Amino acid sequence: MTSEAKKDAPLGRVIVITSGKGGVGKTTSSAAISAGLAKQGFKTVVIDFDVGLRNLDMIMGCERRVVFDFINVIQGDAKLKQALIKDKRLETLFILPTSQTRDKDALTKEGVEQILNELKAEFDYIVCDSPAGIERGAQMAMYYADEAVVVTNPEVSSVRDSDRVLGLLSSQTKRAETDGAEPIKAQVLLTRYDQARVDSGEMMTVEDVLEILAVPLLGVIPESKAILKASNVGTPVVLDEPSAASRAYEDAISRLTGTQVEMRIQGERRPGLFQRLFGRAT
Amino acid sequence: MPSARTAPFQVRGRFLTVLALRIDSDVADDAFHAQLGEQLGRTPQFFSGAPMVLDLAQAPGLQDPDRIRDLVERLRKRDLRVFGVQNAPGLDAGLLGDLGLIPVSTGRDAPIAREPAPAPVAAAPALPRPAENKVIRSPVRSGQMVVADQGDLTVIGSVASGAELIAAGNIHVYGTLRGRAMAGCHGNENAHIFCQSLDAELIAIAGLYQTSETLDGAARDRCTHIYLENEKLRMEVIA
């Protein structure tokens, strides 16, 4: 649908996937979002900013193809082209893995900026997978962002950390520091959402979360076995067989590209059961 | 000495880090300590390690060397960092030195530098200094601190848990107040706090505070006006 747009100058949008709290689904979402954007025909690269705790390459299923990494490029030991890994499933998708042996001090503002500028000249979307926390790695991942996807679980500590990160996005980034620049467009992606637990009062509702965070909702990803399964085999969930989670990600990705998609919150259970019955019958 | 004496109080707006304990009884006996312990126990993390000044204006009897020594020791055992004493002219400097205490002559009753001296050009004494009010048009997020050092603070949006508002004057929140709000930070007891929905971690006016655990249940999640009356925080539901 965007094959014509592809021939134009690249969009060069930098999107940071961040959260503050760990374990909420940043890397899974980075993999899904970058793969989903690439699937729509956008030339996309996903960068792992979690120096020292490299994971994205495994979720993307390219861990055995890493030769040079992000840090090698920053330090001038390798060219960007040498470090970019082309995805085997989608020709518009690239991965820039990080180093497992260095630490976050290896990230410099200048180095990151230079690489992002090079990537902007060639890619439509540059997806930055932020590490947890609000220290250097996370700061570097968000600093040059144009947009932010704040991954949040429907529970209080995750929401509070997301709120903190939203504060940093509006104060400690290039766009925030540049006079007259449009602020970073931040949206919240609610993950691991379990309708049954919301109904029983164990989890916060979408409305509760949005009331606190006061930013637009990008999507609601249901808690799903499909995600764990996809991660284990190194496939972004949107490239795996269809599931409630992959559909929710597809919707979120469409919204990210500016398409209006009606918000539907799907539980795994009902469609899953229906599909199973349907699957058996055929 | 002078610099040590004023420094803890000049941390503008962060008066929370310096608490004054006004003692209204001449004898700090076991009952006194039990009651104090109960009060501290309600919000232990708030008091843990908090620097503290003793105000003995209502308790001249505590100027007795043995009594003050005992009191300070017992407070310090509770991890309260007692460093100063107020309104105790009868205590001699040697004893204070032994106890590691500083006589502090200023306090909430005599606020320091409420307004910086007007610029020499605008020397007309009757001319009131224009208040420097601050209006924040976005939500105040966890970890952010907004200070209106010389006026009112208005927030159009919510104040998240873990955020902090500090104002010399009134605080208005057009949204839910979930964080901390401290009005009248230079000692103005006529400061007010207004919020559209009250769910605060802490509210304080002129240093008198309440935490979420002691908030008036009737005001919770309601549009509330908070003010001081007879040295007590009053919460009035206004809508």
Side-chain angles (χ1 to χ4, degrees), chain A residues 160 163-164 166-167 170-171 211-215, chain B residues 139 141-144 158 160-162 176 178 201:
Chain A
R160 185 200 258 200
D163 191 63
R164 178 90 169 93
L166 285 165
S170 59
S171 61
E211 212 265 309
I212 292 176
L213 296 182
V215 287
Chain B
R141 309 231 175 241
S142 185
Q144 290 179 331
S158 291
S161 140
T176 305
R178 297 190 180 86
E201 289 168 352

Side-chain angles (χ1 to χ4, degrees), chain B residues 47-165:
Chain B
F47 289 102
S48 173
M52 181 174 271
V53 176
L54 299 178
D55 183 347
L56 300 184
Q58 318 279 334
L62 278 175
Q63 296 184 25
D64 173 77
D66 292 332
R67 287 192 199 166
I68 187 80
R69 191 182 296 274
D70 175 64
L71 174 67
V72 169
E73 270 168 20
R74 292 175 76 163
L75 291 176
R76 284 183 177 156
K77 259 185 215 145
R78 292 188 189 277
D79 201 22
L80 298 169
R81 312 271 161 88
V82 183
F83 73 92
V85 79
Q86 271 184 291
N87 301 317
L91 285 174
D92 80 51
L95 175 66
L96 287 179
D98 281 352
L99 292 171
L101 293 179
I102 301 159
V104 181
S105 55
T106 55
R108 195 169 53 72
D109 299 329
I112 18 142
R114 245 176 22 143
E115 311 265 272
V121 201
L127 213 65
R129 197 173 184 282
E132 287 165 29
N133 299 327
K134 211 180 232 185
V135 178
I136 307 291
R137 291 163 171 271
S138 56
V140 181
R141 309 231 175 241
S142 185
Q144 290 179 331
M145 183 165 100
V146 185
V147 183
D149 201 27
Q150 301 297 336
D152 288 4
L153 175 59
T154 306
V155 177
I156 305 169
S158 291
V159 177
S161 140
E164 221 165 88
L165 305 181

Side-chain angles (χ1 to χ4, degrees), chain A residues 159-179:
Chain A
V159 172
R160 185 200 258 200
D161 290 359
S162 293
D163 191 63
R164 178 90 169 93
V165 162
L166 285 165
L168 296 177
L169 284 166
S170 59
S171 61
Q172 313 266 306
T173 53
K174 181 98 191 287
R175 277 178 181 264
E177 288 169 6
T178 312
D179 274 337

Side-chain angles (χ1 to χ4, degrees), chain B residues 193-198 218-226 234-239:
Chain B
I193 299 174
F194 303 87
C195 62
Q196 218 165 52
S197 177
L198 177 68
R220 189 168 293 276
D221 298 330
R222 305 286 298 275
C223 181
T224 307
H225 167 209
I226 300 150
R234 299 269 173 219
M235 283 167 223
E236 177 190 37
V237 175
I238 49 176

Side-chain angles (χ1 to χ4, degrees), chain A residues 41-111:
Chain A
F42 293 102
K43 199 172 176 198
T44 306
V45 58
V46 55
I47 310 176
D48 191 347
F49 273 80
D50 203 348
V51 186
L53 291 168
R54 186 171 96 188
N55 276 331
L56 180 71
D57 50 330
M58 301 186 84
I59 309 290
M60 298 296 289
C62 65
E63 71 272 19
R64 269 170 290 190
R65 298 168 61 205
V66 176
V67 182
F68 294 110
D69 59 48
F70 190 28
I71 303 301
N72 291 138
V73 182
I74 286 184
Q75 299 186 334
D77 300 332
K79 292 220 168 64
L80 184 55
K81 286 247 154 42
Q82 294 175 294
L84 284 174
I85 300 175
K86 191 168 193 265
D87 187 80
K88 284 190 167 160
R89 294 151 295 209
L90 294 166
E91 61 172 25
T92 46
L93 180 59
F94 290 78
I95 298 112
L96 182 53
T98 193
S99 166
Q100 181 73 345
T101 51
R102 311 294 180 84
D103 63 36
K104 276 143 186 115
D105 293 336
L107 292 170
T108 61
K109 244 184 200 176
E110 299 70 33

